[in-house]
Amino acid sequence: MQRWLTGVTVGGGIVFGLVVSSLLLMAAGVSPGDLFNESITTVFFDPVGLGQVVAAATITVVTGLAAAIALRLNFWNIGLEGQMGLGAIAATGCALFAPVHGFGMLIEMALAAIVCGMIWALVPGLMKLYLGISEVISTLLLNYIAAFLIQHLVYGWWRDPASGFPQTAAFGPSARLPLLGWQQVNVGVFVTLILVVLSAYALGRTRVGAYIAAIGANPRAASGSGVPVRKIMLGVVLCSGGLAGLAGFMLMAGQQYRLSPGVGTGFGFTGLMIAFLARYQPVAVLIIGVLVAGLYVAGDSLQTFNQMSSAVVGLVESIVLMSAVAADFFVRYRVIKHAAPAREQNA
Amino acid sequence: MSDTSFLTHWLAACPMFAAPLLLAILGLILCERSGVLNLGAEGVMTVGAMSGVGIVVYSGSTWLGLLAAMVAGMLLSFLYALIVVVLRANQVVSGLALVAMGAGIAGVVGTPFAQQPVPGLAPLHFGPLAHLPIIGGMLFEQDPMIYLTLVLTAALSYVLFHHRIGLNLRAIGHNPAAADAAGLPVLRYRILAVVAGGALLGLAGGYLAAVSSRVWVEGMVGGRGWIAVALVIFAKWRPVRAIVGALIFGGLDALIPRLQATGASIPIYVFFMLPYVVTLIALVLAALQKDQFDMPASLGRAFIREDRH
């Protein structure tokens, strides 16, 4: 398959989706001028808006990577949200109840978040490998369990008595990622860039990367030629969960500074969407992750200034994704017309 | 409140919570038996719920609302069918997109009539039968949709296992290439199955909003579509078994607000977790029994004629 053709078609699908979405939003009462201002000018050509985009992209790119590496093995990690949630719980727990002095605090939080994200991914991984249970269902159920666990904590055990809201107390300064002086952009942005480079290297240039490609193409053939399929699969699932957990930590320590209900909601679908549009390529994940972050920022201002439902971001995402997925058809298949053949005959 | 009256009232409330789940599971069984996975159930139910209540608010008729919910479910599912059956797009990612799309459409369109109460359906009365102890209310004092849902379950079961159409559908879900070679129109069957399943999903959402809850608010489907996706596996793609799954989960749904009302201090979020934990355990048990052979073998895979062997 020609690479440029894939790029052109997916790009065409994205553009088509954006046009359809804009028309829908205008039909719903957003004026074209507002739409252009709020979704392009103030998002990408304004230092404040761009800062918000970079801050949001720090998280979306990591979730995109988490989805992409698992998708390389055709493992549909729908559970990114739950793994992020567990990461957020772990980071919060460390920040509030196990404080350490200095830089060690952030390291402790990050490690705890990665481990908890991994554990939350390990369960469906084992269920798939040893019992053949579809990871689509099991990861999804675990999302709900994680969401209710967070609510149990913020409405009960961990609730900050000083606050009227269901949330924990705010983190101390040592548990916050240092800001770089541009909006909410923090050192997490370097972590994200390093992760993109690392995963591009690992997937493209190492033996493990080659194994992953082989299993993704045909697990039986890979197993037959001596690839340790189970080990690699478990490893990849753990990496995916760990990355999602880390994203949960970055959300807590970099932006929200406290646990509240609904942490990570929507990030799971977003991560999968980014990975799918990026064809599981880490560098493409970076580019699409930034665009999707722009969509989030634009969606926020549409909500604030045009009283749109918060579901509008999901609507735009889904239209873009569906268009890109449908456009894919024209890359993979060629439509051939046959001159009215006898009925049951085929090509 | 005495113990038996608590039990009677809870049992009487179960069908109303179980029916939307049952309808959704039936819709998904129909769809998946043809080999098409529909993870978008949550989205289709959401659009059904919104359009159902919307039409009730504007027309005043609950039945018209339920009909509108079905039509809305069919339209959205037809789009899904075009994408995954005709254009052969990946069913997992398209299904996820359908969930976000349904929530988005409902959120944008439904704002004007969110939070508005609607009348619901009055229960039928079967005379003295409704006064039977314990089970009287549960079995003989329900609204007409409950009984229609049971009739639908039986009908779907009959069509799937005792009628040529069902045989064809199962053949297509099991081995589309063989079915195609035998002259069955695979794509047509699949599109119709997805759309008909979508009608049931829309109806499930419409019933949930216009009859069980009697109000529409954003996010009210609250994961029931996903529960239905999981319960299809629990039901082993058989309509009659779906009744059991729907009753267990509907029962839990009906129990939680009742327990809260008694004032007992219970960790409600742990309770809300239970259905998901139970489904997970049910999946593990089903897998351990190695008894999943009824799963349509081509589930989730697009049919491409050149694949014919």
Side-chain angles (χ1 to χ4, degrees):
Chain A
M1 185 185 353
Q2 299 106 315
R3 258 203 157 152
W4 65 269
L5 189 59
T6 316
V8 167
T9 328
V10 171
I14 294 176
V15 170
F16 176 80
L18 286 175
V19 170
V20 171
S21 310
S22 321
L23 290 177
L24 267 179
L25 288 179
M26 285 181 212
V30 182
S31 85
D34 281 3
L35 194 62
F36 186 79
N37 273 331
E38 276 155 30
S39 57
I40 299 184
T41 321
T42 57
V43 173
F44 290 107
F45 295 100
D46 172 83
V48 177
L50 197 58
Q52 289 173 333
V53 172
V54 173
T58 312
I59 315 268
T60 54
V61 171
V62 178
T63 51
L65 286 179
I69 57 167
L71 276 172
R72 290 219 163 195
L73 293 182
N74 296 315
F75 186 93
W76 288 88
N77 189 355
I78 317 282
L80 293 171
E81 243 167 73
Q83 293 143 20
M84 262 183 96
L86 262 282
I89 291 176
T92 307
C94 291
L96 296 180
F97 305 108
V100 179
H101 283 294
F103 196 61
M105 180 77 257
L106 287 169
I107 303 284
E108 181 199 349
M109 287 164 73
L111 287 180
I114 292 173
V115 169
C116 285
M118 282 181 166
I119 293 171
W120 217 241
L122 182 65
V123 176
L126 290 176
M127 282 169 78
K128 162 121 176 173
L129 276 182
Y130 292 96
L131 294 172
I133 295 171
S134 160
E135 75 279 12
V136 172
I137 307 290
S138 56
T139 51
L140 195 102
L141 293 169
L142 285 166
N143 280 348
Y144 282 98
I145 296 173
F148 287 125
L149 189 60
I150 291 177
Q151 295 194 20
H152 184 67
L153 292 174
V154 297
Y155 280 99
W157 294 348
W158 288 7
R159 184 171 188 156
D160 175 18
S163 149
F165 297 102
Q167 57 188 18
T168 62
F171 299 174
S174 68
R176 301 180 180 203
L177 286 168
L179 294 174
L180 300 181
W182 181 28
Q183 298 296 311
Q184 280 298 101
V185 179
N186 56 54
V187 292
V189 85
F190 300 119
V191 177
T192 302
L193 288 174
I194 292 168
L195 286 172
V196 171
V197 174
L198 267 184
S199 40
Y201 174 77
L203 291 173
R205 293 268 182 278
T206 63
R207 180 195 300 250
V208 172
Y211 281 168
I212 292 173
I215 300 171
N218 187 338
R220 274 187 165 176
S223 172
S225 49
V227 174
V229 173
R230 282 197 166 168
K231 264 190 206 161
I232 297 275
M233 280 201 78
L234 264 189
V236 165
V237 168
L238 285 177
C239 278
S240 179
L243 279 172
L246 185 68
F249 155 75
M250 286 160 80
L251 192 65
M252 287 295 103
Q255 299 187 1
Q256 303 190 342
Y257 308 136
R258 54 160 40 112
L259 191 65
S260 56
V263 165
T265 307
F267 275 106
F269 170 58
T270 302
L272 281 167
M273 172 200 171
I274 294 171
F276 199 80
L277 290 180
R279 295 305 146 109
Y280 323 155
Q281 303 289 341
V283 178
V285 165
L286 178 65
I287 298 167
I288 303 215
V290 172
L291 289 178
V292 169
L295 185 63
Y296 267 81
V297 175
D300 274 349
S301 78
L302 274 177
Q303 265 176 65
T304 318
F305 300 112
N306 293 69
Q307 282 80 48
M308 295 303 273
S309 150
S310 62
V312 88
V313 173
L315 181 62
V316 174
E317 277 185 327
S318 63
I319 295 175
V320 171
L321 183 57
M322 285 247 195
S323 312
V325 162
D328 207 24
F329 174 74
F330 299 99
V331 178
R332 285 184 296 153
Y333 309 109
R334 190 133 301 146
V335 181
I336 301 172
K337 275 196 171 176
H338 293 282
R343 261 218 237 122
E344 296 304 334
Q345 288 192 347
N346 67 300
Chain B
M1 192 162 33
S2 71
D3 288 348
T4 52
S5 99
F6 180 87
L7 186 64
T8 313
H9 282 97
W10 170 51
L11 284 178
C14 282
M16 199 184 252
F17 285 88
L21 271 179
L22 181 55
L23 284 167
I25 301 170
L26 294 182
L28 286 170
I29 289 177
L30 186 56
C31 182
E32 294 193 3
R33 278 286 183 179
S34 79
V36 181
L37 186 67
N38 188 352
L39 294 183
E42 179 88 6
V44 180
M45 283 176 77
T46 304
V47 168
M50 181 273 296
S51 1
V53 168
I55 294 298
V56 176
V57 166
Y58 290 119
S59 76
S61 157
T62 304
W63 290 106
L64 216 55
L66 292 176
L67 188 70
M70 284 178 85
V71 174
M74 287 167 84
L75 286 175
L76 196 59
S77 303
F78 182 62
L79 176 71
Y80 179 69
L82 282 184
I83 287 174
V84 301
V85 179
V86 180
L87 295 182
R88 277 89 166 168
N90 180 290
Q91 295 177 11
V92 177
V93 73
S94 311
L96 289 174
L98 197 64
V99 175
M101 188 178 272
I105 294 174
V108 173
V109 179
T111 322
F113 45 84
Q115 317 275 7
Q116 283 201 35
V118 290
L121 286 175
L124 296 177
H125 289 280
F126 289 86
L129 282 176
H131 300 300
L132 284 175
I134 315 272
I135 54 162
M138 182 195 193
L139 296 180
F140 300 108
E141 202 179 355
Q142 298 293 336
D143 66 69
M145 269 305 297
I146 302 282
Y147 302 106
L148 273 178
T149 303
L150 287 175
V151 172
L152 256 172
T153 313
L156 184 64
S157 187
Y158 173 79
V159 170
L160 272 181
F161 300 111
H162 300 283
H163 193 281
R164 175 163 288 277
I165 292 177
L167 180 67
N168 291 347
L169 193 73
R170 287 186 292 132
I172 285 167
H174 199 68
N175 189 340
D180 182 55
L184 292 175
V186 175
L187 298 194
R188 203 180 308 160
Y189 262 93
R190 284 192 165 174
I191 293 170
L192 286 175
V194 173
V195 173
L200 291 176
L201 288 171
L203 183 61
Y207 182 88
L208 180 71
V211 183
S212 311
S213 318
R214 294 182 203 165
V215 67
W216 182 72
V217 285
E218 252 189 280
M220 68 170 295
V221 177
R224 288 183 183 82
W226 289 113
I227 290 268
V229 171
L231 283 183
V232 171
I233 302 171
F234 175 78
K236 294 177 182 162
W237 292 269
R238 286 183 203 134
V240 177
R241 273 189 65 112
I243 298 178
V244 182
L247 265 180
I248 294 174
F249 282 82
L252 260 177
D253 238 359
L255 186 63
I256 292 163
R258 263 150 228 286
L259 279 182
Q260 274 179 294
T262 60
S265 108
I266 43 162
I268 49 164
Y269 297 105
V270 176
F271 250 90
F272 285 138
M273 239 182 250
L274 274 181
Y276 303 92
V277 177
V278 171
T279 312
L280 213 53
I281 293 170
L283 288 179
V284 171
L285 291 180
L288 285 176
Q289 288 172 355
K290 297 195 188 293
D291 190 15
Q292 294 183 307
F293 298 119
D294 233 13
M295 174 169 146
S298 77
L299 189 61
R301 283 208 299 273
F303 172 59
I304 301 150
R305 213 174 225 174
E306 287 80 271
D307 278 359
R308 183 192 276 182
H309 301 296

